[in-house]
Amino acid sequence: MTISASTDLELMRASMLLETDPAAAARHAGSILERHPGHDAASLLLTIACRRLGNSSSAVDTMETLARAQPASALVQLELGRTYAACARSLEAKAALERTLEMDPSLAEAWRELSVQLLTLNEMAAADAAYDRYRRLTIDPPDLADAYGAFDQGRLEAAEGWVRQRLREGTNEVAAFTLLAAIALRRDDGLGEEAALREALLRAPCDGAAREQLARLMIRQGRTEEAMPAIERLLSADPGNGAYLILKVLALQLAERHAEGLSIIEGLIAATPDNADLWLLAGNQQRYMGHPPQAIESYRRAIALRPGHGMAYWALANFETFHFSALDVDNMQRQRARVSPTGPDPTGLEFSLGKALEDRAEFPGSFAHYERGNKLARDSFHYNASATTAFVERFKATFSRGFFAERPDWGDSATDPIFIVGLPRSGSTLLEQILASHTAVEGTRELAYVPTMARELAGTPDTAARYPENLASLGRGDLTALAARYLASAQKHRPLAKARFVDKMHGNFASVGLIHLMFPRAAVIDARRHPMACGFA
């Protein structure tokens, strides 16, 4: 064996030790440098080993010398940047990493390292953009292949098992938590989804995909104020991203800032006028702004661009004064046979046909369409009735008369909030209108603050089973603080500053115990109507 071949073999063995025994790798590299001073590959290997051993300062001189000797080597510049970074020399690390990417923009690891340094330097938008480039250049980790395969096949328990096994091994944590979030989303487990996304962002603060999914989750839960900063950060890194802009429109819609949302949509339509979904969004904003003719025109444009647009038809059906023509009915019936069986289009078409035939007093046909539409809608989400029943039984067992008797006059004595709870279509809006007609009462809307507190108190998926039982551990001061937080959050929805206000978040029926702990003197109105009547309404 030649001296060169022997050295190459020793270098290969040393490189293989980097992950498991960097000290041994350093010794091998040092031995090679003793025999061959200035050996580039050995110098690079020694630097990497020293950095992994936490002794980066001694490696800086070596790397700078090597970078001068090989100014065109992207890999050398990458290691120089990493070495500077390990010594907390962020500006120099950033410059070296930018030189790396000028030489080879396909180096995914360089984009990731640059993102970290930009974040350290508080260049947040650039950091997020760099991490997005890293994500685009990387592929799914091979050791999660079984988990991805199970997820694609709908075997969620198997997928979760594979992911958690990889997490125990401590590999690819960001990808693992991102997949856990996707599994939780498929299960409609908002608590688990949020916990996984926050874990992913803890490890990769610039991960735009995780931040986008978290913002979408917050919007689904009505947490507009929390979602908006996340959306603005996404847009700061990618201002022209249409998906992010639409996400902002949805958040503005929840915040009842419809004119701002419409302005964004009009800008998107100007760029892509043939996008039917944008016309649907425009119609929604115009409707909320009290402009029915313009909204109807926008929905019609959406249908003209995509004749099977079930959601546009359903939006038209929701106008009390709108009636479909015979031509509309014929078109919906034709499109129902053509559209994809998955997605929202068939559901929207079935409901719209149900409404159209109901207006004609063709009740058997109308009912058949409503029945099919409801089956499609039910199949589109996860719901476990047994789990809900179990929760209600635990809820009843926790909030006994004795439980409240042990906590007399806890929380806040304020009578400002009036909570209306119950099923949708149970008459809550009418109740709110009646109450708000009083000079001392102000109508707000469905405020998401109590559900947010309940989710926080429930904790992670591992501790969620303890809620609501864990409310027993809250002290008097804890409840006073929660009540103060709720009132402060609701204040922005009380521009008239009246003595009392209405919060008609229907789902607060699942948090009545918490509400009574926070506000023992507040009014809670249970809006009741026969469940079948609510369903048909």
Side-chain angles (χ1 to χ4, degrees):
M1 183 181 292
T2 65
I3 294 176
S4 175
S6 175
T7 301
D8 289 344
L9 183 59
E10 190 172 359
L11 273 170
M12 185 184 301
R13 289 171 177 165
S15 298
M16 294 172 67
L17 290 169
L18 267 177
E19 294 293 335
T20 57
D21 192 350
R27 287 195 298 273
H28 280 286
S31 174
I32 295 171
L33 287 169
E34 286 179 4
R35 299 193 305 273
H36 306 285
H39 192 290
D40 288 347
S43 298
L44 181 59
L45 181 61
L46 179 61
T47 301
I48 298 172
C50 287
R51 177 166 52 79
R52 294 191 178 183
L53 288 167
N55 186 21
S56 298
S57 57
S58 64
V60 170
D61 291 342
T62 302
M63 277 310 309
E64 288 178 337
T65 300
L66 193 57
R68 286 192 293 270
Q70 299 188 43
S73 171
L75 291 176
V76 169
Q77 287 295 326
L78 172 59
E79 288 306 322
L80 177 62
R82 284 171 165 167
T83 305
Y84 282 140
C87 297
R89 294 164 63 173
S90 296
L91 283 172
E92 291 161 290
K94 173 189 171 187
L97 292 166
E98 287 174 340
R99 289 194 295 272
T100 302
L101 291 165
E102 287 175 5
M103 298 175 191
D104 187 354
S106 69
L107 277 176
E109 285 301 311
W111 286 109
R112 184 172 65 82
E113 297 284 356
L114 178 60
S115 173
V116 173
Q117 297 312 306
L118 290 167
L119 192 62
T120 301
L121 294 166
N122 205 31
E123 298 180 33
M124 198 169 293
D128 289 351
Y131 194 85
D132 183 62
R133 290 291 297 272
Y134 162 72
R135 284 289 300 264
R136 292 173 186 274
L137 289 167
T138 52
I139 59 173
D140 292 337
D143 60 351
L144 284 171
D146 290 328
Y148 288 120
F151 177 79
D152 291 340
Q153 295 165 12
R155 297 185 294 116
L156 302 185
E157 288 187 13
E160 182 177 0
W162 283 109
V163 174
R164 294 203 179 278
Q165 180 180 328
R166 294 295 175 260
L167 282 173
R168 287 191 291 271
E169 296 166 359
T171 60
N172 293 308
E173 291 181 322
V174 175
F177 279 113
T178 302
L179 184 51
L180 280 180
I183 292 169
L185 173 61
R186 188 79 65 86
R187 289 172 170 162
D188 197 27
D189 174 12
L191 199 64
E193 183 184 1
E194 180 166 354
L197 290 170
R198 291 199 181 280
E199 288 291 344
L201 287 168
L202 187 65
R203 290 158 176 78
C206 296
D207 193 322
R211 181 164 285 107
E212 180 184 3
Q213 187 175 341
L214 182 59
R216 292 188 184 282
L217 169 65
M218 289 173 173
I219 288 173
R220 290 199 306 274
Q221 296 175 342
R223 297 155 61 187
T224 312
E225 293 171 11
E226 295 175 77
M228 195 60 81
I231 297 169
E232 294 295 357
R233 178 165 172 179
L234 290 168
L235 285 168
S236 68
D238 191 358
N241 188 301
Y244 297 164
L245 288 167
I246 290 173
L247 200 56
K248 183 173 182 178
V249 170
L250 296 177
L252 291 169
Q253 180 175 306
L254 280 175
E256 300 181 13
R257 294 159 58 183
H258 305 301
E260 294 174 62
L262 182 59
S263 177
I264 293 172
I265 295 167
E266 287 173 342
L268 291 170
I269 287 176
T272 54
D274 294 336
N275 186 319
D277 290 331
L278 290 178
W279 285 102
L280 173 67
L281 285 172
N284 291 342
Q285 304 313 307
Q286 290 159 339
R287 179 180 179 179
Y288 297 136
M289 293 168 67
H291 302 150
Q294 293 92 324
I296 290 171
E297 183 181 349
S298 293
Y299 294 143
R300 288 291 193 192
R301 288 289 297 273
I303 292 167
L305 290 166
R306 202 171 87 211
H309 203 313
M311 289 297 99
Y313 274 115
W314 184 228
L316 288 171
N318 275 291
F319 280 104
E320 293 182 4
T321 57
F322 181 87
H323 297 284
F324 289 111
S325 67
L327 188 62
D328 289 328
V329 174
D330 289 343
N331 184 61
M332 283 190 284
Q333 289 172 335
R334 284 196 305 273
Q335 295 303 321
R336 181 62 192 90
R338 297 175 182 174
V339 297
S340 168
T342 60
D345 284 338
T347 306
L349 287 168
E350 291 289 5
F351 283 147
S352 301
L353 282 165
K355 176 65 164 56
L357 295 184
E358 181 183 356
D359 289 344
R360 294 180 175 188
E362 297 179 21
F363 300 120
S366 171
F367 189 90
H369 284 296
Y370 281 143
E371 186 176 32
R372 286 196 292 269
N374 275 291
K375 185 179 185 307
L376 288 168
R378 178 65 183 87
D379 292 342
S380 69
F381 62 86
H382 175 81
Y383 175 70
N384 186 330
S386 298
T388 300
T389 300
F391 173 79
V392 171
E393 291 302 323
R394 288 172 42 227
F395 188 95
K396 289 162 64 178
T398 299
F399 298 113
S400 62
R401 289 182 182 274
F403 181 90
F404 291 108
E406 293 170 1
R407 297 163 176 79
D409 302 320
W410 283 29
D412 194 307
S413 62
T415 58
D416 300 32
I418 301 170
F419 297 93
I420 300 178
V421 302
L423 289 172
R425 304 294 184 179
S426 60
S428 59
T429 301
L430 177 60
L431 283 170
E432 182 186 42
Q433 290 172 345
I434 293 170
L435 289 167
S437 67
H438 193 285
T439 56
V441 180
E442 187 168 357
T444 57
R445 59 186 182 90
E446 298 180 7
L447 306 180
Y449 303 120
V450 172
T452 297
M453 291 178 185
R455 279 190 296 270
E456 291 173 1
L457 290 166
T460 66
D462 296 331
T463 60
R466 294 174 52 237
Y467 181 83
E469 292 88 347
N470 62 356
L471 296 185
S473 65
L474 296 181
R476 188 170 195 152
D478 298 324
L479 292 169
T480 301
L482 286 171
R485 173 182 161 189
Y486 173 84
L487 290 173
S489 299
Q491 188 62 42
K492 63 181 70 67
H493 304 288
R494 305 172 64 184
L496 303 178
K498 293 186 177 182
R500 307 185 74 176
F501 67 96
V502 179
D503 178 348
K504 71 178 202 76
M505 173 64 78
H506 302 96
N508 278 343
F509 70 83
S511 301
V512 168
L514 175 60
I515 288 171
H516 193 54
L517 284 172
M518 291 193 298
F519 299 105
R521 296 183 59 199
V524 178
I525 301 172
D526 184 3
R528 294 193 180 185
R529 184 181 183 188
H530 194 287
M532 290 294 287
C534 290
F536 281 117

